[in-house]
Amino acid sequence: MQWYLLPPHPGLQLPGCPGADPAPKSRPGSRHPPARFRPGEAVRAGGERAGLNRAVGSHRPPLPESRGLARAPGCGRPRCQGNGAGRAGAWLPPAPPSARLPPGLGDTGAASPRGPCSGPAMNFSEVFKLSSLLCKFSPDGKYLASCVQYRLIVRDVNNLQILQLYTCLDQIQYIEWSSDSLFILCAMYKRGIVQVWSLEQPDWHCKIDEGSAGLVASCWSPDGRHILNTTEFYLRITVWSLCTKSVSYIKYPKACQHGIAFTKDGRYMALAERRDCKDFISLFVCSDWQLLRHFDTETQDLSGIEWAPNGCVLAVWDTCLEYKILLYSLDGRLLSTYSAYEWSLGIKSVAWSPSSQFLAIGSYDEKVRILNHVTWKKITEFEHPATIANPKIIVYKEMEKSPRVETESLAFPPARAQASSLFSTQSKYDISQVPVSLQYVKPVADRANPRIGIGMLAFSPDNCFLATKNDNIPNAIWIWDVQKLKLFVVLEQLYAVQLFQWDPRQPRLAICTGNSKVYLWSPAGCVSVQVPMEGDFQVLSLCWHASGDSMALLSKDNFCMCYLEREEVK
């Protein structure tokens, strides 16, 4: 482990650790105070760092000479276009009342037949460069970190100014914020190196080299002062302390995707282990890394572990070849074992409800089973048939429509923005009449990891809805009413769903399908919005800001910010 400090710092300790010098009061970028905007004024963000924005983090294609503002389809506020307010991440002024759309979702959305819908007003920032879909908000919501090959760029969320620019030793393959948002680690697995950067002391940084042991995974501990590195072939986990520079080793970690789990309060860590062809669980106290409990599990080949949000129950599930899930208490007692069937492919996905009252288990038989927290028995199961026949179920179907072109105003040759709009297809949601037949994909039987069963499932933050995806029907999302334990809505997309994620503040679901649109669903209805970017911007992933007011849309080589507001229906 090599430590670097420029300039020399007494004690070589981090801010916030015992014996360390008090951290500076000013945050990074204090010499660039946030710009203040007057009502109705569109200001270009960037300040003194505008040149750095252009050189490092942004992609600005040539823009037409038009200085007008255009509306994003289905939105109540203008979007970025042209050579004026739409450049450099500018914030657009609110549209005058006469220019706003009436309450509703515009021509690209569908309101719920159960009641009126207020459409989200959306603004988009400029496009910034990105590598490997590495873009994450800090836990406190103040910063946005993104990677461009070997460079780590930290921006202010409010105005997207570059606050810090760090250069790593190789291409970055993974980034993660510390829990207090003061540090960020960058893992370079190919070289077996982790570099850690400080936001409050930009001249300080740390390098951890695992050497010949290699590196396959790296993560922060909940206190934000320890780093856990997993070596190649899962020989051991190394715990590095950034405060005391001490090193601890944990042997026999299990080679599985979900082998480490921390409780939500950060007090305990559960680790899956494999010794003598048997599976074990070790529980550690994160404050001093002392072993709290060690017990074996009744699994053939443990596949994953996950704590309940309240930190009282640990779910452990077996290999996909066997349907078995076990529930353990904090002291290692086996509370219950659940197995739905035998001699067939078993569990594929698991999700706890935010209240810890329900455990949703998605399996290869295309069903989701819900267990309750009192008896740990099944209370219901959700099927995903290819035909929706219940007339009480709302089915939203995405429909393509060709853009209308006014030949009188069409210039030749057309401007870049006008040309891209001519060839882009718009879409909207229609409410389909049941029965509805969904597009069903028959899995290939002679290949490993068949695309079959429930591949994704997630509860809404208010515990009212559960969203699922059946890999046999890749274009559909199923939304279930948890309170009534029945199907609520089905969304049928034109393309396969890449990712969906709930708004952390309200029951609002964001969806991307690998095209140039982003989709939003709420109990009031759903909307399809074209991302107003020139060129080929395909949304492959997205991540919400903790406030729920914005999200980052990620493509293969770029990302942009999407800002949402909710208009009240009067």
Side-chain angles (χ1 to χ4, degrees):
M1 183 175 183
Q2 302 180 26
W3 297 79
Y4 297 87
L5 191 64
L6 297 173
H9 183 76
L12 292 180
Q13 293 183 338
L14 300 181
C17 298
D21 288 349
K25 295 182 180 179
S26 60
R27 279 281 186 175
S30 58
R31 60 184 180 275
H32 305 290
R36 299 183 179 275
F37 304 112
R38 293 191 295 272
E41 180 183 28
V43 182
R44 175 172 175 262
E48 298 179 29
R49 296 288 183 124
L52 191 58
N53 262 317
R54 287 193 294 270
V56 177
S58 66
H59 169 64
R60 289 186 189 150
L63 293 172
E65 293 300 323
S66 170
R67 293 178 178 268
L69 297 179
R71 291 189 179 281
C75 298
R77 296 182 66 179
R79 64 171 170 86
C80 302
Q81 181 180 344
N83 203 18
R87 293 196 61 177
W91 264 242
L92 300 180
S98 59
R100 287 181 177 270
L101 293 176
L105 288 174
D107 59 351
T108 60
S112 170
R114 295 185 174 93
C117 171
S118 63
M122 303 174 72
N123 285 329
F124 294 85
S125 73
E126 66 170 318
V127 176
F128 299 96
K129 289 183 180 179
L130 186 69
S131 298
S132 305
L133 300 180
L134 294 177
C135 182
K136 290 187 178 181
F137 291 102
S138 60
D140 62 5
K142 296 181 179 180
Y143 309 108
L144 177 64
S146 60
C147 294
V148 181
Q149 295 181 351
Y150 57 88
R151 291 168 295 189
L152 172 67
I153 305 161
V154 179
R155 286 184 168 85
D156 188 323
V157 166
N158 294 323
N159 49 34
L160 298 182
Q161 289 185 10
I162 292 182
L163 300 179
Q164 300 296 341
L165 173 63
Y166 305 106
T167 302
C168 295
L169 297 175
D170 204 341
Q171 182 166 348
I172 304 169
Q173 296 176 267
Y174 177 74
I175 60 173
E176 184 177 337
W177 287 93
S178 62
S179 56
D180 55 7
S181 304
L182 295 179
F183 304 95
I184 185 168
L185 70 79
C186 301
M188 291 143 277
Y189 297 137
K190 293 181 180 179
R191 297 187 59 170
I193 292 175
V194 172
Q195 288 186 269
V196 187
W197 308 94
S198 169
L199 265 71
E200 290 206 337
Q201 296 183 2
D203 293 331
W204 179 95
H205 70 281
C206 153
K207 172 188 170 186
I208 300 174
D209 192 345
E210 292 290 348
S212 59
L215 183 68
V216 296
S218 183
C219 68
W220 284 102
S221 66
D223 65 356
R225 295 299 181 271
H226 294 82
I227 293 176
L228 284 70
N229 286 344
T230 304
T231 61
E232 285 186 344
F233 307 109
Y234 290 83
L235 298 177
R236 70 182 184 218
I237 290 179
T238 310
V239 182
W240 301 86
S241 172
L242 299 187
C243 290
T244 64
K245 293 183 286 186
S246 62
V247 182
S248 303
Y249 298 96
I250 303 175
K251 294 183 178 180
Y252 314 114
K254 173 79 174 181
C256 59
Q257 188 175 2
H258 305 283
I260 299 178
F262 296 96
T263 56
K264 191 173 182 179
D265 59 10
R267 297 178 61 187
Y268 304 106
M269 181 188 78
L271 175 67
E273 300 178 356
R274 185 75 172 179
R275 303 184 185 185
D276 301 325
C277 300
K278 291 189 65 178
D279 293 326
F280 296 85
I281 296 292
S282 291
L283 302 181
F284 294 88
V285 180
C286 293
S287 58
D288 54 8
W289 300 105
Q290 293 297 313
L291 181 64
L292 179 65
R293 289 286 187 275
H294 178 76
F295 53 90
D296 61 336
T297 62
E298 300 176 5
T299 54
Q300 297 294 328
D301 186 10
L302 186 151
S303 180
I305 59 177
E306 185 172 348
W307 286 102
N310 60 12
C312 296
V313 181
L314 178 68
V316 179
W317 59 96
D318 212 336
T319 172
C320 65
L321 299 177
E322 182 176 357
Y323 194 119
K324 179 186 283 188
I325 190 164
L326 306 102
L327 300 159
Y328 291 92
S329 64
L330 192 56
D331 57 3
R333 291 182 295 112
L334 178 61
L335 299 177
S336 181
T337 302
Y338 178 74
S339 179
Y341 52 81
E342 296 179 344
W343 315 117
S344 184
L345 291 177
I347 297 174
K348 189 171 186 178
S349 53
V350 173
W352 285 97
S353 66
S355 63
S356 303
Q357 293 177 308
F358 303 107
L359 178 63
I361 307 169
S363 51
Y364 284 89
D365 66 345
E366 306 176 43
K367 296 180 182 179
V368 174
R369 293 167 176 86
I370 306 294
L371 306 186
N372 72 86
H373 74 296
V374 179
T375 63
W376 299 114
K377 302 297 182 182
K378 183 187 74 173
I379 58 175
T380 189
E381 67 180 27
F382 297 146
E383 298 183 357
H384 296 70
T387 301
I388 307 297
N390 189 343
K392 296 182 180 180
I393 305 302
I394 304 172
V395 180
Y396 293 109
K397 183 179 180 65
E398 183 188 4
M399 306 290 290
E400 278 189 343
K401 62 176 184 177
S402 301
R404 292 177 297 180
V405 180
E406 297 181 1
T407 56
E408 297 179 357
S409 60
L410 183 62
F412 186 84
R416 181 185 295 266
Q418 192 178 40
S420 62
S421 64
L422 289 176
F423 297 101
S424 63
T425 57
Q426 299 178 0
S427 67
K428 65 175 183 177
Y429 280 106
D430 285 342
I431 298 178
S432 300
Q433 298 295 324
V434 294
V436 176
S437 296
L438 304 175
Q439 183 180 357
Y440 189 89
V441 178
K442 187 177 180 179
V444 180
D446 58 348
R447 293 185 182 179
N449 302 317
R451 293 186 178 181
I452 179 175
I454 310 303
M456 289 190 287
L457 71 168
F459 284 91
S460 62
D462 61 356
N463 209 65
C464 292
F465 299 100
L466 172 67
T468 62
K469 177 195 171 187
N470 181 10
D471 290 343
N472 295 72
I473 311 175
N475 293 17
I477 294 179
W478 311 67
I479 300 176
W480 308 82
D481 189 324
V482 176
Q483 296 176 340
K484 298 180 180 179
L485 295 178
K486 65 179 183 180
L487 183 60
F488 185 66
V489 166
V490 175
L491 276 65
E492 185 180 8
Q493 306 295 132
L494 289 171
Y495 303 98
V497 175
Q498 301 289 326
L499 180 73
F500 59 76
Q501 194 174 97
W502 287 102
D503 183 330
R505 297 292 183 180
Q506 57 181 303
R508 180 168 58 181
L509 189 69
I511 307 158
C512 62
T513 61
N515 58 6
S516 59
K517 301 176 182 65
V518 61
Y519 307 90
L520 293 175
W521 174 89
S522 73
C526 53
V527 64
S528 165
V529 178
Q530 176 79 32
V531 180
M533 301 299 169
E534 295 183 3
D536 188 19
F537 189 92
Q538 297 180 345
V539 184
L540 301 178
S541 183
L542 56 87
C543 56
W544 283 96
H545 187 268
S547 65
D549 295 334
S550 61
M551 57 182 168
L553 306 180
L554 316 181
S555 71
K556 182 180 178 181
D557 300 313
N558 304 286
F559 80 94
C560 72
M561 289 291 295
C562 173
Y563 301 91
L564 299 94
E565 293 181 4
R566 180 159 291 279
E567 297 179 358
E568 299 296 334
V569 178
K570 297 182 180 180

